[in-house]
Structures are given as structure tokens and as C-alpha cells.
Amino acid sequence: MAGQASNRAPYARIAAHYAELISSGQLEPGSLLPSIKNLAEEWKVSTATAEKALRKLRNDGFVQGIHGIGTEVLDRPGSMSSGSQRLDRGRRTGSSWGDGERSDSHQAAVVPAPADVAQALDIEAGSNVVRRSRVYRDRHGIVAHSTSWIPARYGELIPQLAESERLTGGTSLQLIAQATGCPISHRIDTASARTLTPEDARLLELDHDDLPTEPVVVMTAKFIDSEGNIVEYGVDLGGPGRTWRTESEVTQ
């Protein structure tokens, strides 16, 4: 709301406010945003600042300008998050979910490590690992199917890692750090795109007779503790039509 304290520039604060309302569904597609004049009055800023806020929302794909009508909220799937972004969000907000998201289909088991997972975790292929998976959804459908691969020794320390339920007491990384006394010190992220495979289609609950032709986004994240141990390898498979988006401040 107007008058909220923030270190961001006024136009960015206004844009963030409406982006949150749109992402959470509080402002539905087709809704009209206040006019530049009304925004300026509500937020006690200049009309130039209000116009800049609306321009940012247009550039970010949240709204479109319609001549003679105003600024209309667009209906669009939200972007997917990487494991690292969810970790950061969890630290900031206490929840890994994005605006309007929820997770379900939580499954866990101790399984032999596939070759690519073993390589990522720097263990022998076929060694036991804990595989945890869940599906992130919003009102548009599946945002991402997410799998975490964790060396079995951490499952022995923390039995709930191998239980098919949402974790309690923190994320897997937080629980591991608490149990070992070694905090996560760094991570390695990758992003790529690939054509849907039959297994991708199954994980994303798609109709095999009507598969989308566009590539899907695949994000991976490798988490390493202060002792140099690789404690988790995450793979996020984006739902059809999902993109990966990140934003940062640029200073000059």
C-alpha cells in the first residue's frame, strides 16, 4: 500500500505491489489498474513515477495498455523457480512457495543413484540415495516437477527425509545443516531446455496424445556444505509454457 517503507525506488515499489496482487490472483485477468493520475495520488508520487511503474509492469508482462480504456491485467502462467531461488525465498519468507503456489504429490524413497545423479553427487553409480519429489502448482497448472537427490548417509541422520510427506522443521538443506553442524556454503546452478521425453510427460501429467511441441526448462542446483560435501542435487522440470525469470538491481 501507499506509504510502505522500502529501499526500492518508488516506481519499483508500486510495480512490486501490483505484481504481487496479480501473481496471487487478487487482481484477476481483465481487471483494470488505476489510472496514472489515481496512482500518483494514492502513492503520493509524481505522474512520471506512476507512469514508470505501469511501464515496468507492462515490460514484465503483467499488464497491457489498451487505448481509450486503461491498463489491463493479463492472464499468464507464472515463471518457475530454481531450487536455489526457492531456498532464498524460504530464508526470506519462511516458505519456498511462490505467489499463488502450492505443492503436493510429495514422495520419498531410498533408491540406487542413476549415473547422472551419481556424477553430480560425486558418488559411485548405484549407491543408495534419498530421492524426494514434489509438484508445484498454481491456478494455471503445474509450475514444475521438482526432485531432490540426497546421499543416503543424510537419510540415516534424518529419517524423515525418506518419508513421503512434506518436511517439518525446515527444508532438507536446513535439516541437514542442523544435523551435521555444517551450513551450506555455496551452490552451482544450471539452466537448459530440452524436448519433452516420455518420462517428462509422465512427471508433468501431460496427455501423451496431445503433447506440446515447445521445449521445457530444466533447472539443476548442486548444494555444497562448508566442509566441501555435496549434500543435495536438485532437478526442476518446468511445466509447458513456463519460463525462468530472475531480476536484480543494476547500479552504475
Side-chain angles (χ1 to χ4, degrees), residues 132-143:
R132 294 190 57 82
S133 63
R134 80 289 295 165
V135 177
Y136 289 89
R137 306 178 195 267
D138 64 12
R139 61 191 178 87
H140 290 278
I142 290 182
V143 177

Side-chain angles (χ1 to χ4, degrees), residues 1-17 43 249:
M1 296 179 61
Q4 283 182 319
S6 172
N7 292 326
R8 286 179 290 191
Y11 83 90
R13 190 162 66 247
I14 298 169
H17 171 76
W43 289 80
E249 296 288 337

